[in-house]
Amino acid sequence: MQLRRISIRFQLMVLMIALTTLPVITVTLQATNNTRSSVEKEMIAANESRMIWASQYLGELIQQVDTLFYALHIRSDLIGELTRMEELEAGERYRLQNALFAAMNTAYYSFSRKIDNLTLYIHSTERAYTVNYANSGITHSLDIGESPWSRMLSEPAGLYFKASGDMLSAYHSINEFQGQALIGGISVRIDGNVWQQAGEILQSEPESAIYLVSDEGELLPGSSPLPGDPELLGVLQGEKARSSDVVFVRTMHDYVFSKRVGGGELQIIKAIPAATIDAIAQRTMTTGLRTGVLFTGLSILLSIVVSLRISRPIISLAKTMRKSHIHDFEMKSVQSKDEIGLLEVGYNFMMARMKALIENEYQHEIDVKNAQLIALQAQINPHFLNNTLHMIGGMALTKGAPEIYRVTYVIGDLLRYSISSEMEQTVQLSDELKHTGNYLFIQEQRFVGRCSVKVEAEEGTGGVDIPKFTLQPIVENAFEHGLQGKQGEWALEVRARLIRGRLVLMVRDDGVGMGADKLVLLRKELASGERTSASAAGSEENRSRRGIGLSNVHGRLAIRYGRRYGVRLFSAVGRGTLVVLTMPAGGSATEGAGEKGERHV
């Protein structure tokens, strides 16, 4: 009988080994034979998708640049006056130049995430007008004879791309409707991050080379070095694809993909060495064989373990469960002493554990309620302080001290505004302006006669909903970090405007300003949402605290409305600081009247 049991177990073990290992071996061998062609097909399909994706990304860039050019091109009134700038009087020149820079800045900031420089060139005066992230408007002479602009001299030029140093720039000529005489041109310098993002889309293999080619066949900045392979070099220098589809060419040494972008202004080319595909296929086949061997061994081992010790895990689990303490929970009666009976005992233990978990959860809810009660009681203190301030104000008014009454009343309003609700609620801009006015009143009592404050709110802005504590921290920053370090009189401007469906808040001071290094550091902190080690150092406490306030406001705006909105910062040493906040104005009420005010602190 014992021998028979052993024979049956042996047969069962052999059968389980056969059933588990034969499919693994068969699948492994078949997968190994199909790996090379599968890897090549998957690589081609994946890279064609990446080429289409990158082409769409760059196509959107071309459309945006074209839109920007058109927005300036249609301002024929400004461009026409610029051509006769030398004939105008000084006052008219100043007015015309300001109007031009205003239009250029509006166009620039509409596309500032994709471009970092915008230039308008007038051929008759050989003058260029430029705006960028650091300058709101500069004028300079420009000779286009030996520059990327020169293509406009021979014929009217639509949108084309050229290298400008180590940066990529786009150009477009401005010509007369009749006669097509050259009036001037427009140029934008593309932000380096744009091509970098496109490169990240395409760079699926570290060994691959990526090239960006203009409509004239020029290799543009950001491209990989020229290849040594004559066949690949011939593809780069050959006739450009006329179709908008992805073109795939297999050379002796490379897999080459090319795709026309837009109307042919750009062409992207990607080359992957064939050795890379071979290495990937070899690694895949080696990994497949090793995996097959490993799974075959595991299958044999598991078959032996399961066939010989199929009941041991159940018995061990039941014994472990039986050792634990059982609470007074409804249990299931155990009817047998075999493995099923042991499972019933384990079931009883599970019931006891469930009871304990329920009791723990109930106690946790009680603790949470107690914590909420304590938090509610803690709110008594701020309200008590607010009531006390109003009591002090009433006493001061009774004693004939209206100034003290006014100060305590304003402080009470500030405190009530702060504790009225959660930090992230929205309020109308008129309420935020009122809260900021209370803060300015306190500053008035501190710095009597030193500061001139001008507050302007455009008609219709007062009813726009904005996050609470958006404006006042920026005004406080202007006092703490801009004005207090300056000798003599101060000036502060707060403006609210509606521009193309956006609410724009501007806070400008004529304080000490900041250097370029500090400005770049703060801008990086705002862009990344992280604090740098320099701004957190003890020796940079003032700059760190400024960064905290700006980052807090910028982060809340970006989280609520998206990364397109937030805080922009402009400053120069000795010239003051300008902080611009942008957020959507959609859904806002139109009943809020505009406000204009000027006060001397």
Side-chain angles (χ1 to χ4, degrees), residues 160-210:
Y160 67 94
F161 290 82
K162 296 286 285 185
S164 179
D166 58 349
M167 300 293 289
L168 176 64
S169 295
Y171 299 85
H172 198 295
S173 67
I174 303 175
N175 301 85
E176 293 180 355
F177 182 75
Q178 295 182 345
Q180 298 295 303
L182 179 63
I183 298 175
I186 306 172
S187 168
V188 295
R189 189 171 63 202
I190 309 300
D191 192 304
N193 292 328
V194 174
W195 175 239
Q196 182 179 354
Q197 292 175 2
E200 291 174 356
I201 295 173
L202 293 170
Q203 195 81 35
S204 56
E205 301 82 13
E207 303 85 2
S208 61
I210 301 172

Side-chain angles (χ1 to χ4, degrees), residues 26-44:
T26 302
V27 171
T28 301
L29 293 176
Q30 185 66 31
T32 301
N33 293 331
N34 296 335
T35 295
R36 182 63 177 81
S37 59
S38 298
V39 168
E40 184 177 32
K41 291 179 180 178
E42 291 175 3
M43 182 276 301
I44 293 174

Side-chain angles (χ1 to χ4, degrees), residues 422-533:
E422 293 81 359
M423 179 68 174
E424 288 299 330
Q425 75 170 6
T426 58
V427 296
Q428 289 190 341
L429 177 61
S430 58
D431 294 332
E432 187 74 5
L433 286 173
K434 180 180 178 182
H435 176 65
T436 304
N438 287 333
Y439 171 79
L440 290 172
F441 177 80
I442 298 300
Q443 295 293 55
E444 178 180 16
Q445 306 309 308
R446 293 180 61 195
F447 308 105
V448 178
R450 287 194 63 186
C451 183
S452 173
V453 179
K454 186 176 182 180
V455 180
E456 290 188 3
E458 189 179 83
E459 183 75 22
T461 59
V464 177
D465 288 334
I466 67 173
K468 194 175 182 181
F469 296 109
T470 296
L471 181 59
Q472 184 270 331
I474 305 301
V475 174
E476 183 176 353
N477 259 348
F479 274 96
E480 295 295 329
H481 306 290
L483 296 175
Q484 291 190 25
K486 177 186 175 183
Q487 301 294 328
E489 295 184 350
W490 304 341
L492 178 70
E493 294 184 25
V494 180
R495 299 178 185 271
R497 297 183 60 191
L498 291 174
I499 301 177
R500 294 186 178 181
R502 296 184 179 184
L503 175 64
V504 180
L505 303 179
M506 293 171 282
V507 179
R508 182 195 301 271
D509 65 75
D510 65 345
V512 295
M514 68 183 77
D517 293 340
K518 293 183 179 180
L519 182 61
V520 170
L521 180 62
L522 284 177
R523 284 175 174 171
K524 287 182 178 179
E525 291 177 0
L526 293 178
S528 64
E530 300 178 354
R531 309 294 319 289
T532 65
S533 59

